Amino acid sequence: MRIVFFDSGVGGLTVLREASRKLPSESYLYYADTLNVPYGTHTKEEVYGFVEECIEDILRSHEVSAIIIACNTATSVAVDGLRKRYSFPIIGMEPAVKPALQSVRESGRRVLVTATPLTLKEDKFRRLLGKLEAPSQVDTLGLPGLVRFAEEGTFDGPDVLAYLREQFAPFELERYGAIVLGCTHFVFFQEAIRELLPPHVLVMDGNAGTVKQMMRVLELELEEDSANASPPDIVYMSSCGTKDDRIRLEHCFRSLT
Ligand code: DGL
């Protein structure tokens, strides 16, 4: 039985890294939908179909104990339907808007939520904003270009910085207290993003919260001495099914640890 981490591409590896640091002796399976990445610029119906097809692909060859949808976009459109369809636990992600708003409570500064265009358009995100105390303090910004950079293996450098500068240009960044990385691919660009932000701006993502929720649902305890554990047992799969994909995913995961 493996714990599955699913994403359209390499983004979910950042969530798997968080899980495998806390629980290095678990067995994992990482699945990337390399046939259909990026999800963020597709329709909701298309993404739902992609995710279902990938889960069926996994189930043809593996027994799973849970699936972590390590993708905010796929969670927005598919998590409710998947929970009705499958009996194993399905854990989703959502942009860390709530903790971000808490962090700016005293300063009164604004929060900037970055995500894919589809996540920001979805009802799930609207509902999340609707539940907050101060939704008018939140602005949003779609950054689909970062997904393309990550899939090409470009995580820093002049092109990334130029893209981010252009996207941030309409915002008066001094007025913000926190920026939310509401797409798992964006976590790879934390350093580049920090470089462009005033030092008081916090950069927040939902990875730790998702892993905490996974541990709660699966009743797993933080492993002692996890820092000295041997490398985690991870099987890599992709919808293209090529060896090149598996090598690329493994290499990308290693670059994170
Ligand atoms: N990693 C994804 C997310 O968290 C999706 C990126 C994409 O495929 O557009 O939203």
Side-chain angles (χ1 to χ4, degrees), residues 7-12 36-41 70-74 93 115-117 119 144 147 151 182-186:
D7 184 32
S8 57
V10 295
N36 298 304
V37 66
Y39 278 0
T41 45
C71 172
N72 293 262
T73 313
M93 302 204 67
T116 66
T119 299
V147 179
E151 292 302 317
C183 167
T184 51
H185 279 73
F186 299 176

Side-chain angles (χ1 to χ4, degrees), residues 1-4 23-29 65 233-234:
M1 294 271 257
R2 289 183 181 265
I3 303 176
V4 174
L23 304 162
S25 65
E26 291 296 322
S27 299
Y28 299 100
L29 187 154
S65 52
D233 166 20
I234 305 170

Side-chain angles (χ1 to χ4, degrees), residues 199-244:
H200 69 262
V201 185
L202 293 174
V203 180
M204 304 177 85
D205 64 61
N207 289 5
T210 301
V211 172
K212 212 163 146 193
Q213 171 68 358
M214 174 193 104
M215 290 169 68
R216 208 168 18 231
V217 171
L218 300 182
E219 296 178 1
L220 297 169
E221 299 283 336
L222 182 71
E223 290 176 22
E224 303 273 331
D225 201 22
S226 53
N228 296 318
S230 43
D233 166 20
I234 305 170
V235 167
Y236 294 92
M237 281 179 82
S238 72
S239 48
C240 285
T242 61
K243 192 173 171 203
D244 278 359

Side-chain angles (χ1 to χ4, degrees), residues 86-139:
Y86 298 103
S87 55
F88 45 77
I90 296 184
I91 290 132
M93 302 204 67
E94 69 179 18
V97 194
K98 239 199 237 162
L101 267 178
Q102 267 155 19
S103 76
V104 297
R105 196 179 250 163
E106 278 182 24
S107 67
R109 286 196 161 107
R110 303 187 65 75
V111 167
L112 182 62
V113 180
T114 63
T116 66
L118 187 55
T119 299
L120 296 174
K121 214 164 59 189
E122 266 312 291
D123 293 347
K124 201 167 196 305
F125 184 66
R126 300 273 137 236
R127 286 201 298 272
L128 174 67
L129 287 189
K131 279 190 268 173
L132 301 172
E133 258 175 52
S136 59
Q137 236 171 300
V138 178
D139 297 309

